[in-house]
Structures are given as C-alpha cells and as structure tokens.
Amino acid sequence: MAALTAEQQDLMDEEADWTARVNLYHAGGGGATGNDSLGCRPIPMRTIATDPRYIPRRTRLFIPETVGMRMPDGTLHDGYWYASDTGGAIKGQKIDLYTGHGRGSMRPAMRFNQRRLTLINAGRFDGCPPSWDARPSQTLMASAATNAGSN
C-alpha cells in the first residue's frame, strides 16, 4: 500500500463524524443513468449518494475502510468520496457508492456492500467531484464556514 499523505493520516486518526450502511450502485442494467443531483456526471469510485438531511451534498468524505482498495486499473483508492447525489431510497444512515458502468464495476467494492462504514468529514467541495486525473488535494476546496448550510 502506498504511503498516506499527512492529510490522510490525520483523517485516519479521527473519530467518525457519521456511520452509514452501504449499498453499491452502477450505471446500466437499471442502475444509475444521467447526472447526479448536482447536475454532474457521476465519477466511479468517487460519487456517493446520501440523504442530504444526514450528510449534506457537497461534503467531501474520507472513508478509511476504502483506503488501499484495488481499483480496476490497478491503482489503489485514496479513501476520498464526494456526496453529490441523492436517492429516494436513501434515508438517514444509508449511502450508495457509485462504482461505474455495469455490474462488474462493483467487484472492487463488493466487500463493503451492506456493511456499516466510517465516514469522516474532509471538508466541502465546489463544482463537481474530481475525476481520477485530479488528486483530491489538488481539488479546490471551499471552507466549511463559507459554505455552511448550503446544499
């Protein structure tokens, strides 16, 4: 496993801000279609659907259990996810992790399906979740104070 950044190590040492039961979702075959609730294209292994009354949209989340998860291209997940989607069946302490296109995209994250995971608030984000070409630390983050209360 790659060495953690200072930010990742600090987040690993924090207590959970939330916990939630995970469901996986994907595009195709009756899964997700179109844009997320912010109007963005969902990013595989980055986009999370939440109940915005529990975890506000535009929250950048760190999920320690996903750090080091091997991605389909062989890279390792850095633990960062982005609350940019919602869903009618997502109420309270439930989240959906978007895995990509097709049922096979769920394979790397299958061990998390129906489990309760630790969610740590890693700040807010503007715009759309970053693609895998952009590292989360390079993504422009707005301060929580500036965006407090905005969904």
Side-chain angles (χ1 to χ4, degrees):
M1 185 150 120
L4 299 176
T5 66
E7 180 185 43
Q8 287 171 308
Q9 189 58 59
D10 288 345
L11 291 168
M12 290 288 266
D13 294 339
E14 284 192 25
E15 295 291 321
D17 291 298
W18 304 278
T19 63
R21 187 176 57 81
V22 170
N23 287 305
L24 304 178
Y25 75 112
H26 62 86
T33 59
N35 293 340
D36 64 24
S37 67
L38 294 178
C40 303
R41 297 294 304 163
I43 305 296
M45 303 295 183
R46 283 274 191 239
T47 297
I48 292 184
T50 67
D51 176 345
R53 294 168 299 176
Y54 185 62
I55 299 170
R57 287 186 309 158
R58 298 202 177 279
T59 300
R60 183 176 92 152
L61 297 163
F62 184 76
I63 304 177
E65 294 91 341
T66 65
V67 172
M69 174 179 64
R70 186 157 307 280
M71 306 289 282
D73 67 359
T75 60
L76 301 178
H77 201 285
D78 55 15
Y80 292 100
W81 297 80
Y82 297 81
S84 65
D85 205 2
T86 60
I90 303 167
K91 304 283 188 231
Q93 296 182 8
K94 294 179 184 175
I95 60 171
D96 284 1
L97 302 179
Y98 178 70
T99 60
H101 187 78
R103 190 162 185 76
S105 71
M106 295 168 51
R107 195 168 302 120
M110 193 55 80
R111 68 179 179 257
F112 304 120
N113 198 36
Q114 301 300 309
R115 283 192 45 213
R116 184 165 291 279
L117 297 183
T118 305
L119 308 172
I120 298 168
N121 187 340
R124 308 269 300 160
F125 68 96
D126 286 328
C128 294
S131 71
W132 279 98
D133 298 335
R135 300 180 61 67
S137 59
Q138 296 171 338
T139 303
L140 181 60
M141 297 295 159
S143 71
T146 302
N147 290 317
S150 66
N151 286 329

